Amino acid sequence: MTLGDEYIRIIKQRFVQIKEQGEGAFQQLNESDIHWTLNEASNSIAVIVKHLRGNMLSRWTDFLTTDGEKSNRHRDQEFINTVDSKQHMLTLWNEGWSVLFAALEQLTAADLQKNVRIREQPLLVLDAIERQLAHYASHVGQIMLIGKQRKGNEWKSLSIPKGKSEEHLKEMKQKYNK
């Protein structure tokens, strides 16, 4: 396996992890939670998901051959809440991730050194992937923060819970030091 092939394998895993964190948050939230905003300058979880979908469809459709900012994308509209239910939000979520994972399945190690464009800016494919990974991770972090704000003590940690670091470290040592 080449370094490029290994990178593609790893990046797929990282995107899966981000997607799973978002889904772990969604499982803990109800209809009112996904539409809650702190203030007018804030976005609800539903709006963040709508934006993620728009970005994913734009960036990952014809990833290697067309500009990542598609002419049919209306980014500003993504921040207007038209999501009418949690089920609708989950549909949007899955549509975006499906396009992303389909594009990643098509990538080869040789593609990583090609250039793509996002808003006419040329980027190495490797850089474009990393850019999107960071973007999606930041929005999933927002989703988790909003979830924690809404659920308070009812929130179930999606990583290492407070006060459990030593316990987690012991488990990892047992798992990997066999």
Side-chain angles (χ1 to χ4, degrees), residues 83-101:
V83 179
D84 56 13
S85 68
K86 185 175 177 182
Q87 186 55 52
H88 181 202
M89 182 193 74
L90 293 172
T91 298
L92 296 175
W93 173 263
N94 287 317
E95 286 174 357
W97 287 103
S98 292
V99 171
L100 178 151
F101 288 123

Side-chain angles (χ1 to χ4, degrees), residues 64-94:
L64 294 174
T65 58
T66 63
D67 192 298
E69 188 66 15
K70 305 295 185 279
S71 61
N72 64 349
R73 181 181 186 201
H74 303 286
R75 185 181 179 279
D76 291 336
Q77 297 299 310
E78 294 167 11
F79 295 97
I80 298 171
N81 190 4
T82 58
V83 179
D84 56 13
S85 68
K86 185 175 177 182
Q87 186 55 52
H88 181 202
M89 182 193 74
L90 293 172
T91 298
L92 296 175
W93 173 263
N94 287 317

Side-chain angles (χ1 to χ4, degrees), residues 8-71:
I8 292 169
R9 183 190 68 74
I10 290 168
I11 205 69
K12 287 177 189 176
Q13 285 181 331
R14 295 292 175 252
F15 279 116
V16 165
Q17 289 170 336
I18 292 169
K19 181 177 185 281
E20 288 174 348
Q21 279 191 315
E23 290 167 353
F26 301 151
Q27 289 173 1
Q28 300 183 57
L29 303 171
N30 62 36
E31 294 285 339
S32 66
D33 295 330
I34 68 163
H35 293 289
W36 179 83
T37 58
L38 178 62
N39 55 45
E40 286 192 31
S42 301
N43 293 310
S44 68
I45 289 171
V47 167
I48 293 169
V49 169
K50 183 180 173 189
H51 165 62
L52 282 169
R53 176 196 177 264
N55 180 279
M56 289 175 180
L57 295 181
S58 190
R59 296 294 184 266
W60 298 99
T61 299
D62 303 321
F63 175 63
L64 294 174
T65 58
T66 63
D67 192 298
E69 188 66 15
K70 305 295 185 279
S71 61

Side-chain angles (χ1 to χ4, degrees), residues 127-145:
D127 188 18
I129 293 169
E130 292 291 325
R131 176 178 163 159
Q132 295 316 114
L133 181 71
H135 182 205
Y136 304 154
S138 72
H139 283 308
V140 169
Q142 290 174 321
I143 290 167
M144 293 188 313
L145 177 61

